[in-house]
Amino acid sequence: MAVQHIIRGVLEKNDIPEGVFNLVLGHADVGAAMAADERVPLVSATGSTRMGRAVGAAVGQRLGRALLELGGNNAIILTPQADLDMAMRAIVFGAVGTAGQRCTTTRRLIIHESIYEEVTQRLLAAYAKLPVGHPLQAGTLVGPLIDADAVTLFTTALESVQKEGATLLAGGQVVSSAELHGGHYVLPALVAAENHYATVQAETFAPILYLIKYSGDVTEAIALQNGVKQGLSSAIFTLNLREAEAFLAAPGSDCGIANVNIGTSGAEIGGAFGGEKETGGGRESGSDAWKVYMRRQTNTINYGTELPLAQGIKFDI
């Protein structure tokens, strides 16, 4: 709505009809109608992988174009060479900022066994003092979930992952008080888990951070990171150049965004934003994104007095 308000002023100053840029509020039926409408040559859709499959199928059926930016299951790798003081801020911000409701939210933390206990204790201390409250109140770091359904997804995921063998280390409770005006607030959760758990493999759009232990060298951590169906954002914290290069190289992170010594969330402004695998393959922003929105045409103009034919073919008539 803020963008619509800004654009409205731009349109008025340039005598451009208001209908050039529109904000339409609605449910899935509105999106389905747009995806199926042949008058819409390109549909850019941001949301869940389930939504992307439906949009991609509908647009593809009419041979239109779809730009899909879908789910993420973003991980940060902490190697023994990590600057933990720097990493802690990135981890907590990435996991609980906007209450875990960003496509680049940090959902998995892959920690080398030699520093696992220290990292866990640091996170427990940080989570114990997280200020949860009204987002417009000064000092608040964790606001509400979007609705009651989001709270249900949060609690259901925590119940499911514990049945699979995970341990809830902190948080996970629903917060209710008169001071929060009946909003949908939860305490961000820390969970000791394994990467192969079905719940860990899925994206839960809520503040749940799974702590996953690895041993061996950085290739083991990269394998865990890549071992999910989503491929949006990824990060590694290390002061070892070889580890960083291994992460960025072709056999390294298979995500559309790969960061070194910065978190999964918040540093992507201006870059090509999007991911691979079930994240959809689309890119918003960045140097090449505009190409998706353009109709491309190849032109050949003959300024000579003779007709050239392809590959020097002779075709005399």
Side-chain angles (χ1 to χ4, degrees):
M1 295 182 71
V3 172
Q4 175 71 22
H5 181 70
I6 293 169
I7 292 294
R8 179 182 176 183
V10 174
L11 298 179
E12 288 177 350
K13 290 177 182 178
N14 291 276
D15 296 322
I16 298 174
E18 186 177 354
V20 168
F21 189 92
N22 296 285
L23 173 66
V24 180
L25 300 177
H27 296 286
D29 57 327
V30 175
M34 293 178 65
D37 196 324
E38 293 185 356
R39 296 172 298 175
V40 183
L42 168 68
V43 176
S44 173
T46 299
S48 69
T49 299
R50 179 172 60 86
M51 177 279 297
R53 285 197 178 99
V55 170
V59 176
Q61 181 68 28
R62 59 181 177 83
L63 297 182
R65 286 187 291 164
L67 192 166
L68 303 176
E69 198 279 286
L70 309 175
N73 198 344
N74 316 300
I76 292 177
I77 295 172
L78 293 183
T79 81
Q81 310 300 321
D83 180 335
L84 294 183
D85 291 334
M86 180 188 295
M88 284 303 119
R89 287 186 64 205
I91 294 163
V92 178
F93 169 74
V96 311
T98 56
Q101 299 169 114
R102 295 171 74 118
C103 45
T104 53
T105 289
T106 306
R107 309 209 180 276
R108 295 177 297 141
L109 185 61
I110 300 169
I111 314 163
H112 191 270
E113 60 183 357
S114 66
I115 56 173
Y116 183 87
E117 291 303 325
E118 179 184 355
V119 170
T120 300
Q121 291 306 313
R122 285 195 182 206
L123 287 172
L124 287 171
Y127 270 56
K129 56 185 181 183
L130 281 174
V132 178
H134 194 287
L136 298 182
Q137 235 173 13
T140 296
L141 293 182
V142 184
L145 295 182
I146 190 169
D147 55 25
D149 288 343
V151 175
T152 300
L153 289 173
F154 173 79
T155 55
T156 300
L158 290 175
E159 290 170 4
S160 298
V161 79
Q162 288 179 85
K163 289 178 181 177
E164 293 183 84
T167 302
L168 178 63
L169 301 175
Q173 296 82 26
V174 178
V175 179
S176 179
S177 73
E179 295 177 1
L180 298 178
H181 310 288
H184 305 290
Y185 293 86
V186 299
L187 294 182
L190 281 177
V191 179
E194 295 188 22
N195 203 57
H196 63 84
Y197 293 163
T199 310
V200 176
Q201 289 284 311
E203 178 187 39
T204 302
F205 218 62
I208 302 174
L209 180 62
Y210 299 113
L211 308 187
I212 300 164
K213 187 186 298 184
Y214 83 94
S215 58
D217 64 21
V218 72
T219 59
E220 301 297 326
I222 293 171
L224 288 170
Q225 180 210 275
N226 292 346
V228 294
K229 293 182 178 180
Q230 309 86 354
L232 178 54
S233 187
S234 60
I236 187 171
F237 277 81
T238 179
L239 299 180
N240 184 302
L241 181 60
R242 289 183 177 178
E243 289 182 334
E245 289 299 323
F247 177 76
L248 297 177
S253 171
D254 63 3
C255 295
I257 299 170
N259 298 329
V260 175
N261 292 330
I262 195 165
T264 62
S265 183
E268 63 277 352
I269 298 302
F273 186 88
E276 301 302 320
K277 302 188 290 190
E278 287 193 358
T279 303
R283 294 294 187 278
E284 295 283 9
S285 190
S287 58
D288 286 338
W290 62 271
K291 293 180 181 178
V292 184
Y293 291 87
M294 306 297 288
R295 179 174 61 84
R296 303 176 74 176
Q297 182 181 73
T298 300
N299 302 118
T300 302
I301 302 175
N302 179 16
Y303 289 104
T305 58
E306 297 180 1
L307 179 67
L309 297 179
Q311 290 86 44
I313 294 173
K314 292 184 178 182
F315 193 81
D316 298 324
I317 57 173

